[in-house]
Amino acid sequence: MKKYLLIGLVICAAVAAAIHYYGSPSKPAAAQKLTIHFTCDTSGRLEPCGCFTGQHGGLTRLMTWLEERPERHDTLKLDVGGALAGVNDYDLVQYQYLARGYREMGFAALNMGAAEAAIPAKTLASLSATSAVPLVSASLVDATRKEILEPFRIVEAAGKRIGILGVVSPTSVVDAGEGIAVLGLDEAIERQLPALREKADLIVLLAFAKENELRRLARDYYEFALILGGDVGGPAQDLIRENDSIVLFTTNEARTVGTLTATLGGEPRTRLLDPAYEITLLEEGIPQHPDLKKLVSEFRDEIRRTPLAVDDPNAVDPRAIPGVQPAATYVGSATCQSCHPKAFESWQKSGHGHAFETLVKKGSDADPHCIECHTVGFGRPSGYRRPFGKEKLIDVGCESCHGPASEHVAHFRDGKKTAFKFRPVGPGDCVTCHHGEFSRPFEWDKFWPLIEHGKE
Ligand code: HEC
Ligand code: HEC
Ligand code: HEC
Ligand code: HEC
């Protein structure tokens, strides 16, 4: 008898344990935690350019940083827009690699910012068809006012259906792409809200917009648990609460990533409870992820093989004044040697004299993003073009600073009478290349003595 009692007790205990373990079906599931990582304004920074040591950021570092963070609960990764560097054909090639990088990191959606809104409608639609991560935008519409991309996505995370709605403010878009119209923020949002209210338990708004607009949207709509931006001057340092929403934003060309951790719960609307927010600077010390370094070199190979508009010598220089032919053309630094031997010698020894070799060593010598400042006159009719390879107009040459010199040479070498005079050159010319992430802080008094020449 005692034996049966014991077995009975064991069964009771097992059933109790099972109920405890699986939870009783009538009770709502326990609130779950969710972490959201977000980026904005990556501006083509697959990797930092390497123009000086001490550079932060790049998707290569973001991936390492994300991998080193233990994921204790569901994680959602989102980009608010501006991943694209520009609308040149080579920027669009790079965008596919940026999207692949984002996929490798597990991003759920890429919103369209000002840079993406400048892509022609047809190109945007085809980019979207092959994009590694879904592109979203409720703002960008075609001539029939139909959305060009998915306006939102629904993802399951932390036991909830999370709606991710993407918008871009018309005030942020300087130049919309051919065939693209940008809806007002309210129209873009209101068109999607009925469907979203039905399909999602919680809505995250990705809004490439200015800070005051982000706050205004929080005040005018109770629907968004979280609003992520944006077109801002700097990242949000602290958690911002506005009306019933949390508002956060970041920027800085892939140098920062924002992270929000919260519990999903609340009545009658699901909200992000007990939120904790941090903004992380992707410091130089974070190693670049090998998988993304591989992607970078694949991009370099593809861009080398791909014929580009800038390769065409007849391409119109966007900087040229219509109808005005430049008087002089580029002749190359070697031409100057015979008459300016000292200037030539000091130039040849300087960094400027082997700036192209620097790119060759990195495999970046076919990437227009780099060539621009490491060659002579790139993008101008008589300037460096990629088919020249290593033959002509490489390096930061004499004419990178002084300007095209054919007239000058014709005058002194060939005896042609010209009224040509070089324009004066000074610190203002140096900072066309020595600025931002591309240079140590530029100081004339420290930099000029290192390349000083001209007094012969
Ligand atoms: C806006 C102009 C500009 C662009 C674009 C640019 N660079 Fe540079 N780069 C510079 C300048 C200026 C320096 C020198 C910086 C200094 O001395 O502080 C430099 C230096 C470098 C150096 C270091 C040279 C050395 O020996 O110390 C590397 C490597 C480099 N660039 C690679 C690249 C790559 C790769 C790209 C494209 C992704 C690129 N650069 C795009 C202007 C540019
Ligand atoms: C055949 C000889 C010759 C060649 C080749 C030559 N120069 Fe000169 N350059 C001169 C002479 C002579 C002067 C001095 C003119 C004066 O004092 O008016 C001069 C002056 C200059 C000056 C300062 C005066 C000014 O006009 O503003 C600059 C800058 C200059 N050269 C740059 C270059 C560059 C860059 C190249 C190569 C693309 C080059 N030169 C090739 C002979 C030459
Ligand atoms: C067309 C773009 C460009 C312009 C304009 C330019 N630089 Fe540079 N500069 C570079 C690049 C690229 C490098 C890195 C070269 C390398 O090592 O690959 C560099 C490197 C340097 C360096 C460090 C290398 C060395 O030789 O010590 C100094 C100093 C420098 N530049 C000074 C100047 C000054 C001064 C001016 C203006 C008079 C100027 N630069 C204008 C692109 C430029
Ligand atoms: C990085 C930019 C840069 C490069 C590259 C450069 N120069 Fe200059 N050069 C200058 C600047 C700036 C001055 C004027 C400095 C001053 O005002 O004291 C100057 C001055 C001169 C002068 C004297 C001008 C005068 O009015 O007397 C000559 C000649 C000259 N450069 C020739 C050359 C030649 C030849 C080369 C190539 C071998 C070359 N430079 C490369 C920036 C450059």
Side-chain angles (χ1 to χ4, degrees), residues 26-240:
S26 59
K27 259 194 358 206
Q32 289 186 36
K33 270 196 167 184
L34 176 69
T35 293
I36 298 174
H37 296 297
F38 65 98
T39 54
C40 185
D41 181 32
T42 294
S43 302
R45 269 45 170 208
L46 262 173
E47 63 166 353
C49 63
C51 293
F52 66 104
T53 47
Q55 286 183 330
H56 306 309
L59 291 193
T60 45
R61 290 210 171 93
L62 177 61
M63 182 152 177
T64 306
W65 183 82
L66 285 169
E67 267 189 6
E68 282 172 359
R69 286 177 69 97
E71 287 190 13
R72 289 188 207 88
H73 35 258
D74 279 5
T75 302
L76 195 57
K77 295 163 196 151
L78 303 164
D79 182 67
V80 189
L84 190 70
V87 284
N88 297 299
D89 44 8
Y90 48 85
D91 297 316
L92 298 177
V93 172
Q94 193 191 38
Y95 195 55
Q96 299 285 17
Y97 287 86
L98 289 159
R100 281 173 61 189
Y102 273 117
R103 181 187 57 198
E104 293 200 21
M105 293 185 279
F107 273 63
L110 306 182
N111 183 37
M112 300 294 97
E116 291 85 5
I119 303 174
K122 279 196 191 123
T123 314
L124 185 60
S126 63
L127 268 180
S128 166
T130 52
S131 177
V133 176
L135 310 181
V136 294
S137 181
S139 299
L140 306 184
V141 295
D142 62 17
T144 67
R145 297 185 82 71
K146 189 179 171 303
E147 295 86 10
I148 297 164
L149 305 172
E150 267 188 282
F152 62 80
R153 282 201 75 194
I154 307 287
V155 296
E156 299 265 345
K160 299 279 182 197
R161 298 167 306 165
I162 299 176
I164 300 159
L165 174 62
V167 294
V168 54
S169 168
T171 57
S172 296
V173 180
V174 185
D175 241 333
E178 196 191 322
I180 288 191
V182 186
L183 295 179
L185 284 173
D186 295 281
E187 186 182 356
I189 288 169
E190 278 156 25
R191 279 176 163 210
Q192 310 302 334
L193 276 181
L196 269 167
R197 282 197 206 98
E198 217 166 274
K199 292 181 180 162
D201 303 311
L202 175 145
I203 308 174
V204 176
L205 178 69
L206 307 180
F208 193 92
K210 302 219 159 35
E211 185 182 342
N212 61 340
E213 292 175 301
L214 302 173
R215 289 177 183 265
R216 201 271 293 168
L217 291 175
R219 285 194 297 275
D220 288 356
Y221 299 89
Y222 64 83
E223 282 88 350
F224 307 122
L226 175 63
I227 299 179
L228 297 175
D231 180 13
V232 293
Q237 296 302 323
D238 298 301
L239 190 100
I240 299 168

Side-chain angles (χ1 to χ4, degrees), residues 47-53 300 351-352 354-355 358-359 361-362 364-365 367-374 430-435 437-441 447:
E47 63 166 353
C49 63
C51 293
F52 66 104
T53 47
R300 286 184 189 138
H352 289 151
H354 50 254
T358 298
L359 296 186
K361 280 187 199 141
K362 286 202 84 178
S364 303
D365 53 301
D367 183 352
H369 295 108
C370 311
I371 296 173
E372 191 189 338
C373 300
H374 287 249
C430 312
V431 295
T432 57
C433 298
H434 286 270
H435 66 84
E437 72 188 288
F438 303 107
S439 180
R440 297 160 286 157
F447 280 60

Side-chain angles (χ1 to χ4, degrees), residues 331-340 398-399 402-406 408-409 411-414 420-425:
V331 296
S333 307
T335 317
C336 321
Q337 185 173 12
S338 54
C339 302
H340 300 284
C398 315
E399 295 163 292
H402 292 289
S406 62
H408 173 80
V409 174
H411 180 86
F412 286 106
R413 193 184 61 190
D414 310 334
F420 179 84
K421 270 259 161 236
F422 284 110
R423 55 183 184 81
V425 180

